[in-house]
Amino acid sequence: MKAKILGGLVAAALLAFGAGAQSLTPLPAQPEGLAYPTSGWQTGELPPDSKAAVEALVAEAMGKSVKDMMGETRGLVIIWRGRLVAEAYGKNFTPQTRQISWSMAKSVTQALVGAARQAGADIELDSPMPTLYPADSKAAAITWRQWLNAVDGMDYHELDGDPNPIKSDVVQLMYGDGRFDALGYAMRAFPLVHAPGTFWTYSTPTFHNIGYALQVTLGTEGNAEDSKAAFDRILFDRIGMDTVAEFDSKGTYLGGSLIWASARDFAKFGYLYLRDGVWDGQQILPEGWVDFARAPGPAANTNVYGAGWWIIPAKGPLTHRQNADSDPRDAFHAGGHEGQTIWVVPSRDLVIVRLGLMPNEGENWPALYEWNQRIARAFPEVQ
């Protein structure tokens, strides 16, 4: 009976955000008597049957250099059933060291939108999202949902773009002509070429646009200091996450790429999603927001992306190599340039954070994905 009730709640939450009645693995509840890690993680022991395998995988990761497959690991945290059960750091890195998220920021931005909505901000997913595009343009009609699912239709190429830095869309956006005014550059350089809602493109400027819209909605447009205070109020302070968010010279929150936090704090962020947006009895994210994040988006050209989060399809083949293709299939993750991952696995009540320096080329990403999955498979399934 309990499983049937949970399944019904998941389906209802999905329908609430228009994600369809796809079956998703239920998100596990907080263990009784365990405090949320707002002020710090309680430690625990690895399960006996998992200990040898997990310790070997941690040692494997920590023993690699940047030249090795999967690159150099600089921070590693494993949370199982709400406790920190494994942790390791590279030379000159500590539990307090803030490290860069790169594109894990996209998942954080999705959370900030949800937290703002839960806090009372006027955000309706199927209404046009505030942007700098002219009011009479097609782009001005793109909805929050379409932006969050990265199906806005911009002619932008990041994962499949030109590797030449002079021609790379993402390099030019962040370090070239777009470095001082990201959105102004994006409007000039990346016109709409697909009908919104029909075609998925992995896109940093998409989440920069969402960051701007979030600021407009919160009344902090163009003001980095006020925006940081608002982000802390609605999300970061509430879960005890000490972050640094970056802004361009226009004061626009760069929500696609630049959040800094420690490995332990990134684990808190993943844990918020593992616990269905609830923290210490408070609904931080709207009910159903996590399922919106981990359910497939509407575009037929991808089966590996939800809303700001990467997902694993129940059956292959993958539409893009930027994901795992093995069990457990309920895992979903935030991912960032050079090998940053927050791996959330409901069926194992597990969060794995790996921060490092890894070349993006070759088989490095598939190796990192499979390493996360090997750790996940080493833990027992939730009963």
Side-chain angles (χ1 to χ4, degrees):
M1 179 61 74
K2 185 176 181 181
K4 187 178 292 185
I5 292 171
L6 282 171
L9 290 173
V10 170
L14 282 167
L15 289 170
F17 285 105
Q22 172 180 330
S23 176
L24 294 175
T25 299
L27 297 161
Q30 177 77 349
E32 291 185 14
L34 178 68
Y36 274 79
T38 311
S39 59
W41 288 102
Q42 293 187 38
T43 58
E45 299 294 327
L46 288 164
D49 291 343
S50 308
K51 183 176 174 65
V54 174
E55 288 180 344
L57 286 163
V58 169
E60 175 187 326
M62 299 309 300
K64 294 178 180 291
S65 75
V66 70
K67 295 180 180 180
D68 295 323
M69 183 67 70
M70 208 178 91
E72 172 189 302
T73 298
R74 295 175 166 179
L76 194 166
V77 168
I78 301 176
I79 307 299
W80 178 60
R81 299 186 65 189
R83 290 180 169 84
L84 193 156
V85 295
E87 182 175 36
Y89 293 93
K91 184 178 180 180
N92 299 324
F93 292 87
T94 73
Q96 290 74 43
T97 306
R98 291 197 195 101
Q99 300 190 50
I100 193 167
S101 68
W102 293 117
S103 285
M104 293 197 306
K106 294 175 173 65
S107 305
V108 175
T109 298
Q110 196 262 3
L112 284 167
V113 173
R117 188 181 193 275
Q118 183 66 18
D122 183 16
I123 296 173
E124 296 298 333
L125 287 187
D126 294 311
S127 295
M129 189 182 82
T131 65
L132 291 171
Y133 290 96
D136 60 350
S137 67
K138 291 182 179 179
I142 300 172
T143 66
W144 284 94
R145 184 191 305 279
Q146 290 165 340
W147 286 107
L148 287 162
N149 282 135
V151 292
D152 45 272
M154 261 195 275
D155 187 20
Y156 176 82
H157 302 273
E158 185 161 336
L159 299 181
D160 59 349
D162 196 315
N164 184 337
I166 302 301
K167 299 179 181 179
S168 165
D169 282 355
V170 67
V171 171
Q172 288 303 311
L173 172 73
M174 296 185 65
Y175 305 110
D177 290 345
R179 66 190 183 281
F180 299 120
D181 180 9
L183 297 189
Y185 176 73
M187 290 170 65
R188 296 191 304 273
F190 313 126
L192 295 186
V193 293
H194 303 285
T198 66
F199 191 88
W200 173 79
T201 302
Y202 184 74
S203 172
T204 292
T206 289
F207 282 83
H208 288 356
N209 270 290
I210 297 169
Y212 168 81
L214 178 65
Q215 291 176 279
V216 171
T217 305
L218 293 172
T220 63
E221 175 189 354
N223 190 312
E225 185 175 344
D226 287 353
S227 296
K228 289 176 182 178
F231 297 169
D232 285 342
R233 184 180 67 254
I234 64 175
L235 177 61
F236 298 134
D237 284 352
R238 299 184 72 183
I239 66 173
M241 188 176 177
D242 182 15
T243 65
V244 172
E246 291 199 34
F247 299 75
D248 68 13
S249 60
K250 293 281 188 179
T252 299
Y253 164 52
L254 299 174
S257 55
L258 293 170
I259 290 282
W260 297 75
S262 70
R264 288 184 177 184
D265 279 355
F266 279 128
K268 291 179 184 179
F269 176 68
Y271 196 67
L272 175 67
Y273 275 71
L274 184 67
R275 294 292 181 252
D276 204 10
V278 174
W279 197 270
D280 201 14
Q282 301 295 312
Q283 191 81 46
I284 307 294
L285 306 178
E287 186 176 350
W289 195 257
V290 174
D291 289 337
F292 170 47
R294 64 186 181 130
N301 72 313
T302 184
N303 61 4
V304 296
Y305 206 74
W309 288 77
W310 294 94
I311 60 176
I312 302 176
K315 295 181 181 179
L318 302 179
T319 56
H320 200 285
R321 293 177 71 246
Q322 201 78 7
N323 215 321
D325 191 15
S326 62
D327 292 335
R329 296 278 170 171
D330 65 302
F332 60 106
H333 81 276
H337 178 61
E338 296 181 332
Q340 326 312 320
T341 52
I342 304 171
W343 210 262
V344 182
V345 193
S347 63
R348 267 67 174 183
D349 202 350
L350 187 69
V351 176
I352 309 162
V353 173
R354 187 270 189 176
L355 306 176
L357 180 62
M358 178 187 85
N360 289 311
E361 297 78 22
E363 296 301 308
N364 283 295
W365 277 105
L368 177 56
Y369 296 143
E370 188 55 26
W371 175 84
N372 275 289
Q373 290 290 70
R374 287 162 66 198
I375 287 184
R377 288 194 294 270
F379 282 84
E381 292 191 50
V382 172
Q383 298 300 314

